[in-house]
């Protein structure tokens, strides 16, 4: 009975020696966009909102600068990660990059930050998804319980296999893409006549604020809003980390996936910021700003006496909430991959590199899920708290990865002709990610940012303890081998004739 129940829940065991097993399990670019790119795309549900709120009342026209900066930053970070994909085609992301170029200790910091980040990816995606769904249901109670329930389902799906879980989520992903394409397209088209006044208002507000408070305070406000929207860019790392699950040729598949992700994220995040301005969206208690936006954009839609707008709004926000659940998939796919690479270097127990009968890293999936549950419980599932922890950690890895690539291109400048252009891309990426990291840490340190640094530091300490333990074990085995080698052979007693 136990065996049959296990087969029912987890599925049949897969043969690792089958000639076509990797082809069956690996992801083409489109499915990788769903499984790994959903993390980045779903951040449009909370990243632009955090940016817009940070501008404060009376400065919303400045969001035009931030919409352009958001799209630009997405493409720069994506292009810089394409170079990481080319240089490290077996995956591993920021951990492998920093370890190979800057040394194992820097790699440990990057890998630890990345592991905690993927845990937070799962936690914030599920919490934000529940918030989005509650925005259209007008419920407030039992949010934490709902988040934990969704998390348990996600753990179960990923224990069955990454590809199986992504296929289940594909219709939701496509619904999100279509509804948000319509939302942004129609939202801009319906207010196209207001675009010249928006441009004029932005220029007027810029001059007015510069004259009243000065240029640097205005730039400080823009930098603050820009950095607090750092959650928008947090899913870009996942493709380079999860290359091991992509279809061959991995580099080509990874770069195509990155293109899909960058284009869709830049359009969605930048478009939503523009719509906030065009439609003069204000925060409403109990609702996300995207829910308010959708209700205003679609509110006037009718087919005769039938009010179509409410139904379209519900579908749009429901798909957004569901996509946030899919975004948690990136944590379950890429997180165990990072742990596997760290296990190979003895930073975490070696069992995290093992595969289950379904050829997934079961121990990694369970650790990521349980740690995400702990974060949800500690923060009460509050997105505003989780997004601070989330943004700081991912930009630690971003910054170390960009620094590593800059060091690499400088080291090969005498042998690689195009090193200058490649160095420039990663250098610009380094400048942007460092700016966001420093600004977010300073601004949000007292509001919970210190906690993510403590947690990441604690994880680094555990990794050092594990590695020291493995080192002591190896030394003990070496001494035992030496003792056995030095043992004298027993004297041979001649047989009596």
């Amino acid at each position: 009975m136990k065996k049959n129940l296990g087969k029912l829940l987890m599925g049949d065991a897969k043969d690792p020696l089958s000639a076509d097993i990797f082809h069956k399990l690996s992801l083409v670019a489109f499915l990788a966009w769903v499984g790994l790119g959903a993390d980045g795309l779903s951040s449009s549900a909370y990243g632009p909102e955090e940016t817009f709120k940070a501008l404060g009342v009376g400065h919303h026209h400045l969001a035009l600068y931030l919409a352009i900066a958001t799209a630009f930053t997405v493409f720069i970070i994506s292009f810089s990660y394409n170079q990481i994909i080319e240089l490290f085609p077996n995956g591993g992301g920021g951990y492998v990059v920093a370890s190979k170029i800057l040394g194992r200790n820097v790699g440990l910091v990057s890998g630890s930050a990345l592991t905690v980040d993927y845990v937070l990816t799962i936690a914030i995606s599920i919490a934000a998804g529940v918030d989005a769904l509650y925005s259209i249901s007008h419920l407030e109670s039992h949010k934490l319980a709902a988040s934990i329930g969704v998390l348990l389902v996600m753990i179960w799906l990923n224990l069955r296999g990454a590809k199986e879980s992504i296929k289940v989520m594909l219709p939701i992903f496509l619904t999100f893409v279509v509804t948000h394409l319509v939302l942004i397209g129609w939202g801009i088209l319906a207010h196209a006549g207001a675009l010249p006044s928006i441009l004029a208002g932005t220029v007027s507000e810029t001059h007015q604020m510069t004259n009243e408070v000065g240029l640097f305070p205005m730039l400080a406000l823009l930098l603050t809003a820009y950095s607090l929207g750092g959650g928008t860019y947090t899913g870009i790392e996942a493709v380079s980390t999860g290359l091991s699950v992509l279809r061959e040729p991995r580099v080509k598949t990874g770069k195509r996936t990155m293109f899909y992700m960058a284009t869709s994220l830049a359009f969605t995040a930048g478009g939503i910021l523009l719509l906030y301005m065009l439609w003069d969206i204000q925060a409403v208690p109990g609702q996300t700003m995207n829910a308010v936006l959708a209700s205003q954009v679609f509110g006037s839609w009718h087919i005769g006496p039938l009010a179509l707008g409410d139904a379209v709004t519900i579908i749009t926000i429901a798909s957004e909430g569901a996509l946030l659940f899919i975004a948690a998939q990136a944590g379950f796919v890429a997180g165990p991959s990072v742990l596997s690479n760290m296990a190979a270097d003895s930073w975490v127990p070696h069992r995290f590199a093992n595969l289950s009968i379904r050829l997934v890293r079961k121990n990694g999936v369970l650790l990521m899920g349980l740690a995400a549950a702990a974060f949800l419980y500690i923060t009460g599932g509050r997105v505003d708290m989780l997004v601070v922890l989330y943004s700081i950690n991912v930009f630690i890895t971003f910054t170390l990865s960009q620094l590593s690539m800059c060091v690499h291109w400088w080291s090969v400048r005498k042998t690689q002709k195009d090193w200058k252009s490649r160095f420039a891309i990663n250098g610009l990426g380094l400048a942007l990610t460092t700016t966001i990291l420093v600004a977010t840490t300073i601004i949000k340190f007292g509001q919970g940012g210190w906690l993510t640094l403590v947690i990441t530091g604690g994880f680094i300490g555990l990794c050092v303890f594990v590695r020291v333990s493995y080192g002591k074990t190896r030394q003990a085995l070496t001494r035992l081998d030496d003792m056995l080698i030095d043992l004298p052979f027993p004297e041979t007693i001649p047989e009596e004739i």
Side-chain angles (χ1 to χ4, degrees):
M1 184 180 296
K2 181 180 179 181
K3 183 178 180 180
N4 291 335
L5 181 61
K7 183 183 291 188
L8 177 66
L9 292 175
M10 299 301 167
D12 294 323
K14 293 180 177 179
D15 182 9
L17 302 179
S18 174
D20 62 345
I21 188 64
F22 181 76
H23 183 80
K24 290 179 178 178
L25 295 179
S26 61
L27 305 176
V28 296
F30 182 76
L31 287 180
W33 180 38
V34 177
L36 298 173
D39 179 21
L41 189 55
S42 68
S43 63
S44 61
Y46 50 82
E49 180 172 341
E50 292 295 320
T51 298
F52 199 70
K53 286 180 178 178
L55 288 175
V57 179
H59 304 301
H60 288 167
H61 279 93
L62 298 179
L64 181 61
Y65 298 129
L66 296 173
I68 296 171
T70 296
F72 176 75
T73 304
V74 168
F75 280 112
I76 288 297
I77 295 178
S78 298
F79 289 154
S80 67
Y81 267 94
N82 275 341
Q83 298 188 155
I84 292 177
I85 289 172
E86 291 174 358
L87 198 61
F88 297 93
N90 293 321
Y95 170 69
V96 172
V97 175
S99 297
K100 297 292 185 182
I101 298 175
L102 299 181
R104 70 184 187 188
N105 292 331
V106 179
L108 170 62
V109 174
S110 181
S112 299
L114 193 56
T115 301
V116 176
D117 169 66
Y118 282 128
V119 172
L120 288 165
T121 294
I122 298 170
I124 193 173
S125 297
I126 291 176
V130 170
D131 276 358
L133 295 180
Y134 273 49
S135 292
I136 56 177
S137 63
H138 303 292
L139 297 174
E140 286 295 332
S141 59
H142 308 300
K143 278 189 178 182
L144 180 59
S147 298
I148 298 296
V150 172
L151 176 60
L152 292 175
V153 173
M154 293 291 297
I155 293 173
W156 170 64
L157 286 173
N158 279 277
L159 289 175
R160 290 182 60 88
K163 191 168 184 177
E164 285 80 354
S165 61
I166 290 171
K167 285 183 175 179
V168 170
M169 301 167 184
L170 181 58
I172 298 170
F173 184 87
L174 294 178
T175 302
F176 174 91
V177 171
V178 171
T179 54
H180 284 68
L181 181 63
V182 173
L183 171 69
I184 295 171
W186 178 257
I188 294 175
L189 183 64
H191 277 51
L195 285 174
S197 63
I198 287 291
L199 292 173
T202 300
V203 173
S204 174
E205 189 170 308
T206 302
H207 284 301
Q208 181 182 353
M209 192 171 180
T210 302
N211 293 331
E212 290 179 356
V213 300
L215 177 62
F216 288 107
M218 185 190 72
L219 292 176
L221 176 63
L222 287 172
L223 177 60
T224 300
Y226 173 69
S227 62
L228 291 182
T232 305
Y233 321 111
T234 49
I236 299 174
E237 160 80 19
V239 178
S240 67
T241 303
L243 279 174
S244 60
V245 300
L246 301 190
R247 182 75 52 88
E248 294 285 1
R250 286 177 181 171
V251 171
K252 185 177 179 179
T253 303
K255 292 174 74 172
R256 184 177 297 151
T257 304
M258 189 69 80
F259 173 76
Y260 293 160
M261 178 193 293
T263 304
S264 58
L265 177 56
F267 174 80
T268 307
I272 287 175
L273 272 172
L274 182 59
L275 290 182
Y276 286 164
M277 285 192 305
L278 283 172
W279 291 79
D280 192 25
I281 301 302
Q282 304 294 328
V284 175
Q287 295 188 57
T288 64
M289 287 185 67
N290 283 6
V292 178
L293 173 65
S295 64
Q296 290 198 25
V297 172
F298 296 132
S300 60
W301 282 24
H302 287 80
I303 298 180
L306 182 63
L308 188 62
D310 291 342
V312 177
T313 298
I314 291 173
I315 293 172
T316 301
I317 302 305
S319 70
E320 187 174 282
L323 183 76
L324 283 158
F325 298 151
I326 299 177
Q329 182 66 20
F332 282 116
V333 172
S337 178
V338 175
L339 286 171
S340 176
N341 282 287
M342 295 181 73
D345 295 332
S346 296
W347 289 119
V348 298
H350 293 162
R351 67 183 65 187
F352 284 102
N354 298 337
L355 297 174
S356 70
I357 61 171
R358 295 289 293 177
L359 301 185
V360 297
R361 294 183 174 90
K362 179 181 70 174
N363 294 313
V365 170
L366 290 173
L367 176 63
M368 303 302 287
L370 293 175
F375 272 111
L376 286 171
Y377 180 77
I378 292 170
T379 61
R382 287 180 53 191
V383 175
D384 57 342
M385 290 184 63
L386 287 167
V387 75
V388 175
L389 308 180
Y390 186 42
S391 299
I392 291 176
N393 247 37
V394 73
F395 277 96
I396 292 175
T397 298
F398 274 174
T399 301
L400 291 176
S401 297
Q402 301 300 331
L403 177 61
S404 300
M405 293 302 292
C406 288
V407 170
H408 169 74
W409 298 128
W410 182 257
S411 67
V412 299
R413 65 188 184 280
K414 295 181 180 179
T415 57
Q416 188 150 340
K417 294 181 179 179
D418 61 344
W419 76 271
K420 289 183 179 179
S421 60
R422 292 179 175 273
F423 182 90
I425 292 174
N426 285 118
L428 183 55
L430 175 62
L432 292 174
T433 56
T434 303
T435 299
I436 296 174
L437 172 61
V438 172
T440 305
T441 303
I442 293 174
I443 295 167
K444 290 294 186 179
F445 184 83
Q447 301 176 33
W450 61 271
L451 181 59
T452 189
L453 300 177
V454 170
I455 293 171
T456 303
F459 188 75
I460 291 172
L462 286 174
C463 291
V464 171
F465 174 78
V466 170
R467 187 179 176 88
V468 169
S469 298
Y470 276 123
K472 290 180 178 179
T473 301
R474 282 192 294 269
Q475 291 174 1
L477 291 174
T478 300
R479 289 196 298 269
L480 179 61
D481 288 340
D482 293 340
M483 290 173 59
L484 293 174
I485 291 173
D486 293 337
L487 286 177
F489 289 101
E491 295 182 2
T492 56
I493 302 175
E495 297 181 1
E496 294 182 2
I497 301 176

